[in-house]
């Protein structure tokens, strides 16, 4: 029953988010600030993780290719498929659930604890729209982060495979182009958009409806990370089943 | 003027407000007093529309606020100012941005006009020159004054204050009390103030409503509250040693 109540409350929150809109000029500034906080602030860690994950995938694949009948170019093929289909969109989103999700939950939760959300409501402002809508719009730029992640993941794989002496550059480029299906990119970006919405709204729900004090803000951040990850994984499974099977 | 008629509110089967009837007058400081758990905060949140009343009506100058839709209530709330117990300043904004916030949201003024109004109210609460500070850089008393400035910057018709003196030293508390009363008279607004503080009652209690167990147990003025024989009121008023001594002196005719 608690879960059903929470799911209902989440959808009611979404209805409120798209209710009475905040003044345009104010909203514009809020969106730009959220892009800076949520997207720009995450680029560093995303770039770092993507590069090294790509490198590790390439090394692992190369070390497991003992059969001389299997072409060396498979290293690049495996790295490309892993990075585009799962590592960039899904793995990075789980990392973002920890970084961006916790930030959203704790910032909104702190506002709840210190009555700042009540202050917005008393002023006649739709607090759900003011606080959550700019985050959703800012997260629409999240696919750019994932595109960068894909590029750096493959660049990492190239560096590790070629500089590590597992394959030469031509073999890697050949493997990278081998049996490329453009729809896989479409699939990856469709789920990235869905993940962006989840990353903005599930942590916002946990922050907005939290009760208690500073300790509960910490608990809400942890719960938010767990549930955002669960929703991401379930959505990933559903989208993959729908689009690829 | 705010009229409350037969207001009921409960949570999880427990009735907190049990049928309150009261009128808050314009141009006066209307105090709501009572022990912790008597229903004061629930009463205030019902008046603000943050809680929906189970039964009864709340009218703002004849407008049936309690029957309004959420959107209509939000519209009327632009005419309200609220001073929260902890100030509830936006901690990501400077003092100036906090005070300017209602103007940015609800007016089409130019930035220069907004700044002029912000400086005017900051001066009114004796905080000129502090506009660029963050809320965390100023004292609790100053935060309360910034919150008052934010509450009055858009010239509200109704001002609500939730325990404005909590956590303040007596001297600062008196400054805040006097400021609220002066603003009420200057702007001819309806001020509703929740307090536990008997000093506030003495300072600014033009009209007092005493709540007990979710009911309006007594109403009157600051002069009348020290003369009443109502046991529930006298138990509350004379609970402190200082006021007990005053009471003994009164009874002795001193």
């Amino acid at each position: 029953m608690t879960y059903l109540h929470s799911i209902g409350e989440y959808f009611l929150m979404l209805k409120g988010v798209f209710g009475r809109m905040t003044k345009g000029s104010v909203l514009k500034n809020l969106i730009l600030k959220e892009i800076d906080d949520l997207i720009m602030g995450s680029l560093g860690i995303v770039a770092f993780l993507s590069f090294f994950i790509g490198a590790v995938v390439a090394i692992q694949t190369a070390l497991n290719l003992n059969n001389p009948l299997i072409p060396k170019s498979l290293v690049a093929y495996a790295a490309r498929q892993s990075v585009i289909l799962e590592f960039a969109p899904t793995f990075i989103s789980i990392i973002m659930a920890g970084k961006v999700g916790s930030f959203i939950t704790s910032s909104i939760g702190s506002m709840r604890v210190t009555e700042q959300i009540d202050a917005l409501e008393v002023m006649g402002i739709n607090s759900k729209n003011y606080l959550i809508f700019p985050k959703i719009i800012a997260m629409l730029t999240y696919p750019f982060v994932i595109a960068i992640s894909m590029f750096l993941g493959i660049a990492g794989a190239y560096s590790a495979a070629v500089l590590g002496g597992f394959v030469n550059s031509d073999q890697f480029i050949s493997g990278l182009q081998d049996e490329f299906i453009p729809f896989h990119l479409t699939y990856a970006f469709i789920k990235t958009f869905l993940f962006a919405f989840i990353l903005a709204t599930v942590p916002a729900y946990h922050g907005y409806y939290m009760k208690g004090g500073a300790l509960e803000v910490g608990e809400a951040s942890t719960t938010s990370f767990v549930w955002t990850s669960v929703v991401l994984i379930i959505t990933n499974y559903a989208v993959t089943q729908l689009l690829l099977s | 003027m705010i009229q409350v008629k037969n207001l009921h509110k409960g949570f999880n089967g427990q009735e907190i407000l049990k049928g309150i009837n009261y009128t808050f007058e314009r141009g006066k400081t209307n105090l709501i007093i009572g022990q912790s758990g008597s229903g004061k905060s629930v009463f205030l949140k019902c008046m603000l529309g943050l809680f929906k009343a189970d039964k009864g009506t709340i009218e703002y100058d004849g407008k049936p606020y309690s029957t309004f839709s959420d959107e209509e209530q939000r519209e009327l709330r632009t005419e309200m100012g609220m001073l929260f117990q902890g100030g509830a300043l936006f901690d990501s904004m400077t003092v100036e941005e906090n005070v300017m916030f209602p103007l940015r949201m609800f007016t089409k003024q130019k930035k220069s006009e907004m700044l002029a109004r912000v400086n005017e109210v900051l001066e009114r609460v004796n905080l000129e020159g502090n506009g660029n500070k963050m809320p965390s850089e100023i004292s609790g008393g100053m935060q309360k004054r910034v919150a008052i400035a934010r509450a009055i910057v858009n010239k509200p018709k109704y001002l609500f204050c939730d325990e404005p003196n909590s956590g303040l030293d007596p001297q600062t508390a008196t400054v805040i009390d006097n400021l609220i009363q002066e603003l009420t008279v200057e702007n001819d607004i309806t001020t509703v103030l929740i307090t536990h503080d008997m000093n506030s009652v003495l300072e600014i209690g033009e009209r007092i409503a005493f709540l007990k167990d979710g009911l309006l147990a007594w109403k009157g003025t600051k002069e009348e509250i020290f003369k009443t024989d109502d046991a529930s009121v006298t138990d509350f008023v004379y609970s402190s040693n200082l006021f007990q001594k005053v009471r003994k002196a009164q009874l002795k005719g001193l």
Side-chain angles (χ1 to χ4, degrees), chain A residues 188-221:
Chain A
F189 283 112
I190 286 172
K191 68 179 185 181
T192 299
F193 271 109
L194 291 171
F195 291 168
F197 188 77
I198 291 164
L199 284 169
T201 56
V202 174
Y205 166 78
H206 282 94
Y208 193 86
Y209 289 103
M210 67 143 297
K211 292 184 178 80
L215 185 65
E216 284 76 10
V217 174
E219 282 174 7
S221 295

Side-chain angles (χ1 to χ4, degrees), chain B residues 19 39 75 101 112-113 122 127 138 156 158 160 164 169 215 223 236:
Chain B
E75 203 61 50
F101 188 78
S112 56
E113 291 170 328
L122 281 178
L127 280 176
I138 57 177
Y158 316 98
F160 297 91
D169 63 86
L215 286 165
E223 290 81 17
F236 177 78

Side-chain angles (χ1 to χ4, degrees), chain A residues 20 22-23 26 114-116 118-126 130, chain B residues 71 74-75 77 82 84 88-91 93 101 104-107 150:
Chain A
R20 179 176 162 145
T22 305
K23 195 176 170 184
V26 176
T114 54
E115 296 181 308
Q116 292 176 48
D118 285 342
L120 286 170
E121 285 292 331
V122 170
M123 284 179 207
I125 295 162
N126 177 357
Y130 180 85
Chain B
E71 288 308 304
R74 283 207 178 99
E75 203 61 50
R77 278 189 214 143
M82 170 82 194
F84 284 88
L89 297 177
F90 302 122
D91 43 24
M93 298 180 192
F101 188 78
R104 279 177 61 214
M105 296 301 288
F106 301 114
T107 70
R150 186 178 68 182

Side-chain angles (χ1 to χ4, degrees), chain A residues 50-114:
Chain A
S50 302
F51 188 86
F52 284 98
I53 287 168
V56 169
V57 168
I59 294 170
Q60 293 275 21
T61 312
L63 291 176
N64 284 286
L65 285 181
N66 298 321
N67 191 332
L69 294 175
I70 299 176
K72 293 279 185 189
S73 61
L74 190 72
V75 173
Y77 174 86
R80 184 197 74 202
Q81 290 298 89
S82 311
V83 168
I84 289 179
L85 291 176
E86 288 306 322
F87 282 111
T90 311
F91 186 80
I92 293 298
S93 294
I94 303 265
I95 301 289
M96 292 287 269
K99 189 188 179 295
V100 169
S102 298
F103 171 74
I104 291 174
T105 304
S106 55
S107 59
I108 296 180
S110 302
M111 289 185 76
R112 170 65 73 196
V113 171
T114 54

